[in-house]
Amino acid sequence: MANHRRAPRSIFRSGAARAMAGRLSWGLGDQAVSSLTNFAVGLYVARSLGTFAFGIFSLAWVTYGVVLNISRGLATDPLMVRFSAVPEDRWRAGVASASGTAIGVGCVTGLVSLVAGLAAGGPLGNAFIALAVVLPGLLLQDAWRFAFFAHGQGKKAFLNDVVCGIVLLPALFVAGRIGTVVAFVLAWGIAAALAAVYGWFQTGILPHPRELAGWLRSQRDLSVRYLVENVSNSGASQLRAYGLGAITGITAVGAVRGAEQLLGPFLALLMGLSLVTVAEGARVLQRAPHRLKHFCVILGGGQAAAALCWGLGLLLLVPDSAGRWVMGSVWDSASPLILPVTLAVVGASFATGAAAGLRTLGAAPRSLRSQLIASLFYVTFGIAGAFLGGAAGSAWGVAAATLSGSVVWWFQLRLGLREYVPPGADEPTVVFEPIKEPIKE
């Protein structure tokens, strides 16, 4: 009789594992497309423009990273936490509001970028003016990807990124013929905007920018903390890039960005990690809370190991002639920085496992505390390293910062798990419910 009672549970767990594997496989496929697209853009721009112009493009890129994290903190991070694995009507209501919020963030930050570009003038100012034009489309396309993964529709996110990549190919070709930073920024943004239009056809959901205020009110308990957390992350990268440029020149920014570009598949994976992991972590928490720690360890450890293998492969297997063929003149200044940049990505990769766990638990104060400390390390060590050793010193400083920051993240996750999953419990109960009622119109 006992065997008959245990069998259905075993089958359920097996079926749940297979379902998770299917969703994760689409997530990995989507991230592979996104990573390869960003990787190709960076390499093509570096090869076409040279180190100085690539430094200008890099400043626009890290600024976009800040804006993207503002949008995610206010719009799509709360969507992932509270509208994953919910009924269709609740999901559609949440997506309409969250995607509208993303468009609103793109318009507001685009205006700021426009003013900054007009004030700066020159090639750098022109790059920020071009960024202002493409921000709403970039953010909407990213919001659709979050929406698909929240609903367990990773295949649609994959197709959306494939469309973006296909459109980007001719756009980059045209930009290469023009040969300016502005042309490359516009090519990148136009491809994302067309993919965003395709996302509207995929969902049949019309974004509601007018609900921005209502969404922010209803999600403020999470969105404010996630906003500060996300902006401190990307803002630290931006401050480090600006500081490095002020201390040693824009060429040093191009060299560091070139080395980071070689780790592009993993950096892009880190940016979009929450597309898959928070939604899957929420499902693990609902079914078996005591397994969340193992989920986070496998997630972070697997990424860290893969990043280390990739970086060591670049160091040991890629000859200078091949590097120059791929990246042009940027290779000579970027290749000495591969080792510290690899270690920095290893530290950041391992930390993402703990970050996903804290997001899943809804432990926003703990994740915010971890991110603020890690960002402080990043800026302080990165800029101090620039003073002491230029681009190389800054790269080694960031490596030390991310490895130290990962310790902070995992310590906070340990405390969070103690609060939500009592140690020694055979069948822990879920005491956190990551679902909230949708906005009332």
Side-chain angles (χ1 to χ4, degrees):
M1 182 67 67
N3 290 336
H4 290 293
R5 291 177 179 175
R6 284 195 297 266
R9 185 176 184 182
S10 176
I11 293 171
F12 170 77
R13 285 182 174 176
S14 177
R18 286 195 298 270
M20 177 186 290
R23 290 188 296 267
L24 286 175
S25 65
W26 281 116
L28 291 173
D30 175 72
Q31 287 306 318
V33 172
S34 178
S35 299
L36 289 174
T37 300
N38 291 332
F39 189 54
V41 170
L43 291 183
Y44 192 70
V45 174
R47 181 179 174 84
S48 302
L49 298 181
T51 307
F52 180 79
F54 186 59
I56 294 177
F57 182 84
S58 299
L59 292 177
W61 184 280
V62 297
T63 302
Y64 160 70
V66 175
V67 175
L68 178 65
N69 280 293
I70 291 173
S71 176
R72 289 182 175 180
L74 293 178
T76 50
D77 282 343
L79 177 74
M80 292 294 289
V81 172
R82 287 178 168 154
F83 292 87
S84 292
V86 298
E88 177 82 13
D89 56 339
R90 298 181 66 185
W91 173 77
R92 295 181 68 86
V95 170
S97 298
S99 59
T101 301
I103 293 176
V105 171
C107 292
V108 173
T109 55
L111 181 60
V112 174
S113 181
L114 175 63
V115 172
L118 293 173
L124 180 62
N126 292 336
F128 278 88
I129 292 172
L131 182 64
V133 174
V134 300
L135 277 174
L138 285 166
L139 298 185
L140 178 58
Q141 195 263 341
D142 185 72
W144 290 135
R145 298 170 68 220
F146 272 77
F148 291 135
F149 280 107
H151 203 44
Q153 297 177 331
K155 181 178 180 179
K156 290 186 176 181
F158 173 82
L159 292 175
N160 193 275
D161 271 330
V162 168
V163 169
C164 184
I166 292 173
V167 175
L168 187 59
L169 290 176
L172 285 178
F173 176 77
V174 173
R177 299 295 294 271
I178 297 173
T180 64
V181 175
V182 169
F184 281 106
V185 172
L186 291 177
W188 161 46
I190 290 171
L194 292 176
V197 173
Y198 176 60
W200 175 40
F201 283 102
Q202 285 178 294
T203 61
I205 298 174
L206 183 65
H208 294 160
R210 66 180 182 276
E211 293 185 3
L212 185 150
W215 175 266
L216 295 181
R217 283 195 303 270
S218 65
Q219 308 299 326
R220 63 180 177 272
D221 58 323
L222 290 182
S223 62
V224 172
R225 289 189 172 96
Y226 289 158
L227 172 65
V228 176
E229 180 182 329
N230 290 355
V231 171
S232 67
N233 180 21
S234 55
S237 177
Q238 188 177 28
L239 288 175
R240 182 260 188 136
Y242 289 168
L244 178 61
I247 294 167
T248 60
I250 292 181
T251 300
V253 178
V256 170
R257 177 58 188 162
E260 292 175 344
Q261 188 63 46
L262 293 170
L263 274 294
F266 296 98
L267 293 173
L269 180 64
L270 292 179
M271 286 186 64
L273 186 66
S274 57
L275 290 172
V276 183
T277 55
V278 175
E280 292 305 323
R283 293 181 177 96
V284 171
L285 187 66
Q286 290 173 358
R287 291 194 302 266
H290 56 293
R291 295 178 181 267
L292 181 61
K293 179 180 177 181
H294 303 107
F295 175 79
C296 296
V297 170
I298 293 172
L299 175 68
Q303 284 190 105
L308 182 60
C309 291
W310 180 274
L312 292 179
L314 290 172
L315 281 173
L316 300 176
L317 302 178
V318 178
D320 287 340
S321 58
R324 293 190 188 98
W325 183 80
V326 172
M327 299 192 71
S329 60
V330 176
W331 170 262
D332 292 328
S333 56
S335 56
L337 308 179
I338 292 176
L339 179 58
V341 169
T342 296
L343 295 177
V345 176
V346 168
S349 297
F350 192 55
T352 56
L358 288 172
R359 287 287 178 95
T360 299
L361 293 171
R366 292 200 177 280
S367 60
L368 175 60
R369 187 178 304 122
S370 301
Q371 186 58 66
L372 289 176
I373 295 172
S375 296
L376 179 63
F377 288 169
Y378 189 96
V379 174
T380 303
F381 293 0
I383 293 181
F387 272 113
L388 296 174
S394 182
W396 280 107
V398 168
T402 58
L403 292 169
S404 301
S406 66
V407 175
V408 176
W409 277 104
W410 281 97
F411 177 72
Q412 290 296 325
L413 177 62
R414 181 184 179 187
L415 296 179
L417 288 170
R418 284 182 176 179
E419 293 173 356
Y420 289 97
V421 184
D426 293 331
E427 296 291 338
T429 57
V430 179
V431 297
F432 169 73
E433 174 56 59
I435 298 175
K436 187 175 181 179
E437 290 295 326
I439 303 171
K440 294 182 179 179
E441 299 188 8

